[in-house]
Amino acid sequence: MENSIDAKATSIEILVKEGGMKLLQITDNGSGIQKEDLSILCERFTTSKLTNYEDLNSIATYGFRGEALASISHIAHLSVTTKTESDSCAWKATYSNGELVPSKPNESNDPKPVAGRKGTQITVEDLFYNVPSRLRALKSSSDEFGKILDVIGRYAVHTEGVGFSCKKFGD
């Protein structure tokens, strides 16, 4: 959500399945991500929010995607679909362990052209699929959904000009 707000989104939609453990999808209508940046999107310590050293003196963003998305790509199946205003189509990229990976076996790692609207959609599936001890430490789906609603509510209250919606998958 922070990256969506930083991208000047006015609408952020969250879709949750089984408390976010099976699916957590965040869709925004922000500025999108440049296709050229997709190759490094999930690398640690990577950001497009700084262009030179002096930018560190005037940070006006929520954070740097290089940490959150890199971490998520190590513990879940992660895909990103994004379109900027100038793109003729959206681009979909799939990540694992901080790197671009093919979405299907025997395909290239390159982002694929797809239909899509301006903005970005982050899809996280099977959270902690490869860390069963962490998965067992989570509470019930309804408890985890409640925590998600709490975080969304806090952002909604403090973020002027942005509409938030959260839905359970299938509702």
Side-chain angles (χ1 to χ4, degrees), residues 47-64:
T47 186
S48 61
K49 295 178 182 181
L50 300 174
T51 55
N52 58 55
Y53 182 78
E54 290 72 29
D55 290 347
L56 289 170
N57 294 323
S58 59
I59 294 174
T61 64
Y62 275 101
F64 302 106

Side-chain angles (χ1 to χ4, degrees), residues 15 17 20-26 68-69 72-73 75-80 121-128:
L15 179 63
K17 183 176 182 181
M21 293 175 269
K22 283 294 172 196
L23 174 73
L24 181 61
Q25 186 174 71
I26 301 173
L69 291 178
I72 292 167
S73 76
I75 51 120
H77 299 113
L78 175 66
S79 65
V80 175
Q121 181 176 77
I122 306 283
T123 303
V124 178
E125 297 177 281
D126 300 318
L127 187 64
F128 299 119

Side-chain angles (χ1 to χ4, degrees), residues 109-123:
N109 295 357
D110 296 333
K112 307 288 183 276
V114 295
R117 62 185 185 183
K118 182 178 150 290
T120 301
Q121 181 176 77
I122 306 283
T123 303

